[in-house]
Amino acid sequence: MSPQNLSLSDSLHIAILASILCLIIYWLIRDSYRVRNVNGKHVFITSCDTGLGNSLAKRLDKMGFCVIAACATEKGGQELQSCSSLSLKTVNLNLADSTSIARAVLFVSEETAGKGLFGLVSHAEGTAPVAPTDWLSIEDFHSVLDVSLLGLIEITLKLLPLLKKAEGRVVNLINTKGLTAFAGAGYGLPTWGMEAFSDPLRIEMQHFGVKVSIVEHGFFEAGVANSDVIEKHLLRLWNRLTSETRDSYGEKYFVEYIKAQRSSLKRLCNTDTSKVIKCVEHALIAKHPRIRYRAGWDAKFFWVFLSYAPSCLSDMLLHMLFPAPAASGRAVPRVLINI
């Protein structure tokens, strides 16, 4: 077909496709721009004793950042320093204690010495209870919210002046498993809370040159407790339930629920945390960091899909993944499918 014979609609379609292609190319080029020199730039990371925080601290230290790693124990800090460069500093931090947070902020202020803080990588590991909601007490909710939500919010607020000074970045890590009803309300509250905190913070801090990103990662072995720890925790919760609540669930429910959690750890847990680390790297060194990153196949294709799927669909899937309590009257009291 000659150009003269192209209809108006054909020309419009071609123009739209060309525009989309140009936008994709522009985004790829823009996404590839990097900060030229990271040497001397300070980055503060929470929860560095083990897991993701520990791996991130080591990686960013090798890249040339001046890493300030917050550890919950002196032993964790000493072990991290023993395998890092002299520029990496550690500080004890209890996110549930405002006094400890204030001391850590003072330490960061002294270390940055008027330069400001270039990066804050914020997350908390292993504090969320994985259990049905009515197995939990208000103290269980306090224990997770005080650390994984309120503690992270408090230290972010207190470090904002330093981040503004350096026109730095805030990178909040959350587990996408918390975006669904997969593990009870105790697990999801801090996740949704950090999402709700991060978005308005991002919009407001743009005026000061501070960039805020969220890394929604999947189920990584270095970022969650192992199955033995989860099962011991579940057993403790089960044993403290009233006889009435235990009877309403039944012994079979408890056994099948543990099997379901064990299966989810086995099937979904990824040992390669480099996917998360690469996302954090990009958020820190890209000139135009993305608003959201998704690390891990389950974050990209399973948890996010489940969180946006119609409630009837996600409810049906979760009913198949988990057992039914004895009081529900369902004919099959065990898990129908294992992921």
Side-chain angles (χ1 to χ4, degrees):
M1 182 182 291
S2 65
Q4 292 82 4
N5 294 330
L6 284 175
S7 66
L8 181 61
S9 62
D10 290 336
S11 300
L12 184 60
H13 290 156
I14 292 172
I16 291 172
L17 290 174
S19 299
I20 293 172
L21 181 61
C22 289
L23 284 172
I24 292 172
I25 293 172
Y26 168 76
W27 182 87
L28 290 172
I29 294 173
R30 187 175 184 270
D31 194 59
S32 67
Y33 289 155
R34 300 289 185 268
V35 175
R36 290 184 179 179
N37 187 14
V38 301
N39 292 323
K41 295 185 184 296
H42 289 83
V43 176
F44 180 75
I45 310 171
T46 64
S47 300
C48 292
D49 295 77
T50 58
L52 283 173
N54 189 275
S55 300
L56 279 168
K58 293 174 182 176
R59 173 57 183 162
L60 296 180
D61 178 52
K62 289 180 181 179
M63 291 176 64
F65 283 103
C66 294
V67 175
I68 305 173
C71 298
T73 63
E74 289 187 10
K75 180 183 178 182
Q78 291 169 357
E79 290 178 352
L80 179 58
Q81 282 185 313
S82 68
C83 55
S84 305
S85 74
L86 295 176
S87 65
L88 183 143
K89 308 294 182 183
T90 61
V91 60
N92 287 350
L93 175 63
N94 178 3
L95 285 168
D97 182 2
S98 292
T99 303
S100 177
I101 290 174
R103 284 197 297 264
V105 171
L106 178 61
F107 182 85
V108 174
S109 300
E110 292 172 348
E111 286 294 320
T112 54
K115 297 179 181 178
L117 182 64
F118 180 74
L120 167 61
V121 181
S122 185
H123 75 125
E125 290 181 352
T127 58
V130 179
T133 303
D134 65 344
W135 292 17
L136 307 176
S137 66
I138 192 63
E139 288 75 22
D140 293 316
F141 283 94
H142 277 299
S143 68
V144 62
L145 292 175
D146 288 347
V147 174
S148 298
L149 180 59
L150 297 178
L152 294 179
I153 290 174
E154 182 176 354
I155 199 163
T156 301
L157 294 176
K158 289 185 175 180
L159 288 173
L160 280 180
L162 295 177
L163 289 160
K164 288 179 181 179
K165 190 167 189 176
E167 295 188 352
R169 286 103 189 277
V170 177
V171 185
N172 290 329
L173 276 65
I174 69 165
N175 194 324
T176 50
K177 183 179 178 181
L179 295 174
T180 67
F182 191 83
Y187 197 93
L189 279 178
T191 299
W192 282 107
M194 285 307 293
E195 288 272 3
F197 173 71
S198 300
D199 275 332
L201 182 70
R202 171 179 56 81
I203 296 168
E204 294 156 4
M205 288 298 106
Q206 287 174 349
H207 301 293
F208 302 96
V210 177
K211 299 175 175 64
V212 179
S213 299
I214 300 173
V215 176
E216 298 174 339
H217 62 83
F219 214 23
F220 285 90
E221 188 173 312
V224 295
N226 60 48
S227 59
D228 290 338
V229 173
I230 291 177
E231 288 172 23
K232 286 179 181 178
H233 183 61
L234 282 169
L235 181 61
R236 179 182 65 84
L237 294 176
W238 175 258
N239 288 334
R240 81 176 188 189
L241 293 177
T242 64
S243 57
E244 181 182 2
T245 303
R246 273 203 303 269
D247 291 343
S248 69
Y249 279 91
E251 292 288 343
K252 286 185 178 180
Y253 177 92
F254 178 66
V255 173
E256 292 298 327
Y257 189 86
I258 286 181
K259 287 181 181 179
Q261 291 292 356
R262 189 183 298 148
S263 175
S264 68
L265 279 170
K266 181 179 179 182
R267 303 294 182 184
L268 295 175
C269 213
N270 194 332
T271 58
D272 183 13
T273 58
S274 64
K275 295 178 177 67
V276 184
I277 293 172
K278 286 178 181 177
C279 290
V280 176
E281 278 183 33
H282 188 275
L284 289 173
I285 66 175
K287 281 193 174 181
H288 308 284
R290 303 170 200 168
I291 295 172
R292 273 177 173 76
Y293 298 81
R294 292 194 174 98
W297 72 266
D298 53 328
K300 294 177 180 177
F301 304 112
F302 185 72
W303 301 117
V304 173
F305 164 76
L306 206 60
S307 67
Y308 285 104
S311 296
C312 59
L313 178 62
S314 59
D315 288 356
M316 180 179 66
L317 179 59
L318 290 171
H319 281 314
M320 290 190 293
L321 294 176
F322 286 96
S328 70
R330 283 174 57 187
V332 183
R334 63 185 184 84
V335 182
L336 297 180
I337 63 173
N338 283 322
I339 53 176

